[in-house]
């Protein structure tokens, strides 16, 4: 922990704090107003999904949190630091749509990269890589190169890499988009388990309503351009590991799916409070 002055009065226990964020892109054909008045706090250990129509600014918001781009107005902090400082300190793992693997490194070497950068011993690295590849079902592919893998497998390598350091925060932008349905559900279950185990907070972008409901403590529904937060829906579900397996078949799960779908499609407000959950 560094003890430098904090430019924002953010609570350091929160994983992510977004305050009054606007983002406008200047393009040759004029301005694109991508995000407007975004306020969002993600607590430590909390799983928050962003869902909304294509082009509503989900990836832009993720890129601002990851300091890959800067807001036009407002502020972003991560564990009470500036987004930039958090990036320099490697306070989070990233898995974005494009796997972003280094083509000249093997699967193992890609997964182990964050550990190498942080000076983890080679013995420790090897055992952690073995564990991670096992988790994403790629143990037999450790010596392959990215271009020898399918898109879904590359994505699993990227997910393993994002988890390498057991970060306190994961930024995941449609990480399961390229996976087949069965692998996708397995990865979702794994992610729930990992989060329970490590206490990591997650900001997760998805197009899938059931995926958002299954994974999240809260689902942030965004409206079309300029992207605004239309509604934040708490998921009143028991996501304890033991319950996670049957969760997708539960009545409360479908009620939450309906709540998110209604918020997304009609834009009409959903009655406050968990629906149908208390009278199971
Ligand atoms: P989403 O991830 O929700 O589909 P994006 O965040 O990728 O949406 O994009 C939001 C809007 O901002 C879109 O209209 C997109 O075209 C625009 N946009 C994103 N990045 C840039 C950029 N670098 N330059 C110009 N426009 C951009
Ligand atoms: Mg996107």
């Amino acid at each position: 922990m560094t003890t430098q002055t904090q430019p924002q009065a953010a609570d350091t226990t929160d994983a992510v704090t977004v305050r009054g964020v606007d983002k406008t892109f200047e393009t040759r054909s004029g301005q694109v107003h991508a995000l407007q008045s975004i306020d969002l706090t993600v607590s430590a250990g909390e799983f928050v999904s962003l869902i909304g129509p294509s082009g509503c600014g989900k990836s832009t918001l993720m890129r601002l949190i990851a300091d890959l781009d800067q807001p036009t107005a407002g502020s972003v902090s991560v564990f009470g630091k500036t987004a930039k400082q958090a990036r320099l300190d490697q306070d989070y793992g990233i898995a974005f749509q494009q796997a972003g693997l280094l083509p000249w490194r093997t699967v193992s070497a890609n997964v182990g990269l964050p550990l190498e950068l942080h000076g983890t011993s080679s013995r420790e690295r090897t055992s952690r890589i073995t564990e991670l590849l096992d988790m994403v079902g790629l143990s037999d592919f450790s010596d392959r190169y990215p271009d020898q893998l399918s898109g879904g497998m590359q994505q699993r390598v990227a997910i393993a890499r994002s988890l390498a350091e057991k970060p306190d925060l994961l930024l995941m932008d449609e990480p399961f988009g390229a996976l087949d349905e069965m692998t996708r559900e397995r990865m979702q279950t794994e992610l729930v388990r990992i989060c329970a185990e490590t206490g990591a907070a997650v900001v997760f972008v998805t197009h899938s309503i059931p995926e958002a409901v299954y994974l999240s403590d809260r689902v942030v529904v965004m409206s079309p351009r300029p992207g605004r937060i239309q509604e934040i829906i708490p998921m009143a579900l028991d996501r304890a590991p033991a319950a996670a397996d049957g969760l997708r078949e539960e009545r409360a799960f479908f009620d939450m799916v309906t709540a998110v779908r209604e918020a997304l499609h009609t834009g009409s407000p959903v009655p406050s409070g968990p629906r149908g959950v208390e009278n199971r």
Side-chain angles (χ1 to χ4, degrees):
M1 272 286 178
T2 50
T3 50
Q4 63 215 6
T5 51
Q6 305 298 340
Q8 292 116 18
D11 183 343
T12 50
T13 61
D14 286 327
V16 178
T17 312
V18 177
R19 285 286 165 267
V21 160
D22 263 66
K23 179 65 182 177
T24 306
F25 293 105
E26 306 289 341
T27 69
R28 256 176 295 167
S29 48
Q31 289 193 333
V32 177
H33 199 179
L35 292 171
Q36 189 175 49
S37 312
I38 302 290
D39 284 300
L40 179 67
T41 301
V42 179
S43 304
E46 190 184 23
F47 200 119
V48 171
S49 287
L50 310 177
I51 196 163
S54 237
C56 74
K58 304 178 294 295
S59 296
T60 301
L61 182 53
M62 294 295 267
R63 290 175 54 78
L64 297 181
I65 297 169
D67 192 48
L68 299 171
D69 206 343
Q70 276 67 51
T72 311
S75 67
V76 175
S77 56
V78 178
F79 295 118
K81 307 174 183 179
T82 60
K84 181 180 178 190
Q85 192 60 48
R87 174 173 58 77
L88 295 174
D89 293 347
Q90 300 182 46
D91 283 339
Y92 44 80
I94 290 183
F96 281 0
Q97 270 156 304
Q98 284 77 31
L101 304 176
L102 301 176
W104 59 88
R105 282 182 162 241
T106 62
V107 165
S108 283
N110 267 288
V111 171
L113 183 61
L115 302 170
E116 260 177 66
L117 293 175
H118 265 187
T120 310
S121 75
S122 111
R123 222 181 74 222
E124 223 176 299
R125 236 166 38 219
T126 307
S127 85
R128 181 86 183 119
I129 291 168
T130 305
E131 187 182 306
L132 288 160
L133 289 182
D134 185 45
M135 188 189 77
V136 297
L138 290 175
S139 303
D140 294 340
F141 297 87
S142 60
D143 295 330
R144 303 284 183 90
Y145 288 86
D147 68 358
Q148 299 174 302
L149 306 177
S150 71
M153 291 160 92
Q154 291 180 17
Q155 198 58 27
R156 281 186 276 158
V157 176
I159 291 162
R161 182 186 55 189
S162 74
L163 298 169
E165 293 200 283
K166 301 192 173 140
D168 290 329
L169 174 64
L170 284 164
L171 302 176
M172 307 183 100
D173 190 345
E174 298 188 44
F176 303 155
L179 306 181
D180 63 80
E181 198 57 27
M182 272 170 59
T183 310
R184 189 169 183 151
E185 286 197 358
R186 193 160 54 78
M187 295 299 300
Q188 290 167 357
T189 308
E190 267 314 304
L191 186 55
V192 168
R193 190 185 61 75
I194 290 159
C195 291
E197 202 178 283
T198 66
V202 185
V203 187
F204 191 94
V205 173
T206 180
H207 274 120
S208 161
I209 298 172
E211 179 166 272
V213 170
Y214 180 76
L215 294 170
S216 311
D217 296 310
R218 289 187 297 154
V219 175
V220 176
V221 177
M222 293 177 66
S223 63
R225 212 152 29 109
R228 279 152 301 174
I229 293 181
Q230 182 172 306
E231 197 172 338
I232 300 182
I233 308 178
M235 299 289 107
L237 297 169
D238 180 10
R239 216 168 287 90
D245 260 4
L247 183 61
R248 292 186 186 87
E249 276 107 58
E250 285 194 29
R251 169 71 199 280
F253 179 80
F254 292 115
D255 286 344
M256 287 298 145
V257 167
T258 304
V260 175
R261 180 173 293 127
E262 280 174 5
L264 257 177
H265 289 300
T266 68
S268 66
V270 172
S272 59
R275 306 188 325 154
V277 173
E278 60 285 347
N279 48 17
R280 269 166 57 202

